[in-house]
């Protein structure tokens, strides 16, 4: 995977919002959101059967956020998980005089940054593995990767969030299910 992750093709696919749904921003998601179109209501790393509305009033929240895109309250620069990292990083390494947030935010922020960086790494490994599978080789050299045409490649993000009541599965480094 080192040859793939260090390649220009990997960076291109990772940054492409067409080939990689994880490259989209929250602004892209809320702009495309339509409660009458089921595909626009779902986040890519959630299970297909996840019930968004039961706890969170998903449609109402997304329609509110859709209005707030123009005000700048919604992140339109950073990808999904990078947005959370940027949000929580601003609470870390502040002097005590600037720490106006509560104790919970102060202690939670470093762990949330670690969590979302780890999820980003999981998505990177999954992307590299899927690109390797697209090449059809067990190991790929940098010459193979640079010579390959990834224009028809589409990344399928692994499912990380499952619905209530479903038996938890053991996930591997790239987010795919591992047999017990």
């Amino acid at each position: 995977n080192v040859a793939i992750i260090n390649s220009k093709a990997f960076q291109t696919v990772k940054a492409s919002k067409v080939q990689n749904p994880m490259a989209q921003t929250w602004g892209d998601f809320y702009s495309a959101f339509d409660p009458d179109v089921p595909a626009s209501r779902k986040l890519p790393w959630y299970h297909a059967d996840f019930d968004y509305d039961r706890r969170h009033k998903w449609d109402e929240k997304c329609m509110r956020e859709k209005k707030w895109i123009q005000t700048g309250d919604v992140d339109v620069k950073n990808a999904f998980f990078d947005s959370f990292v940027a949000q929580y990083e601003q609470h870390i390494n502040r002097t005590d005089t600037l720490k106006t947030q509560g104790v919970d935010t102060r202690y939670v922020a470093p762990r949330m940054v670690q969590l979302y960086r780890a999820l980003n790494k999981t998505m990177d490994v999954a992307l590299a593995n899927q690109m390797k599978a697209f090449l059809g080789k067990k190991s790929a050299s940098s010459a193979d990767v640079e010579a390959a045409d990834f224009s028809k490649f589409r990344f399928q993000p692994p499912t990380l969030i499952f619905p209530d009541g479903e038996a938890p599965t053991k996930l591997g480094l790239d987010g795919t299910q591992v047999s017990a």
Side-chain angles (χ1 to χ4, degrees):
N1 284 357
V2 174
I4 293 175
I5 289 176
N6 291 329
S7 69
K8 187 176 180 184
F10 178 84
Q11 297 303 325
T12 303
V13 170
K14 185 177 176 180
S16 170
K17 292 181 182 183
V18 174
Q19 292 178 299
N20 180 8
M22 295 305 296
Q24 294 181 1
T25 66
W26 285 106
D28 297 330
F29 175 75
Y30 292 130
S31 296
F33 181 84
D34 184 354
D36 298 325
V37 180
S40 74
R41 298 179 71 239
K42 300 183 182 295
L43 292 168
W45 63 94
Y46 276 65
H47 192 275
D49 297 331
F50 186 82
D51 182 13
Y52 291 87
D53 285 321
R54 191 168 68 78
R55 274 185 260 160
H56 307 295
K57 299 195 178 344
W58 188 244
D59 291 344
E60 292 89 343
K61 176 189 180 295
C62 290
M63 291 305 287
R64 249 190 344 267
E65 297 280 347
K66 190 172 189 167
K67 292 179 195 169
W68 293 343
I69 291 172
Q70 297 301 319
T71 64
D73 292 340
V74 177
D75 191 351
V76 295
K77 295 178 188 163
N78 298 315
F80 288 124
F81 294 154
D82 292 334
S83 175
F84 290 123
V85 171
Q87 174 187 345
Y88 284 108
E89 273 183 339
Q90 66 184 341
H91 298 291
I92 300 173
N93 296 332
R94 288 187 173 186
T95 61
D96 285 337
T97 56
L98 295 175
K99 288 184 179 175
T100 56
Q101 73 269 14
V103 170
D104 54 343
T105 307
R106 206 172 328 155
Y107 290 109
V108 164
R111 284 139 193 94
M112 295 303 280
V113 169
Q114 287 176 329
L115 169 70
Y116 285 108
R117 283 186 179 158
L119 291 174
N120 264 340
K121 287 293 181 193
T122 300
M123 291 298 171
D124 287 350
V125 172
L127 178 58
N129 285 346
Q130 288 182 25
M131 288 175 74
K132 186 168 50 174
F134 184 79
L135 288 173
K137 297 182 177 187
K138 286 196 176 237
S139 64
S141 67
S142 55
D144 294 336
V145 176
E146 296 302 330
D149 179 22
F150 287 102
S151 61
K152 291 185 170 69
F153 174 80
R154 297 291 177 267
F155 176 55
Q156 298 294 321
T159 300
L160 301 176
I161 306 293
F162 293 91
D164 292 342
E166 184 166 315
T169 58
K170 187 173 182 180
L171 301 178
L173 183 61
D174 63 348
T176 56
Q177 189 172 351
V178 175
S179 60

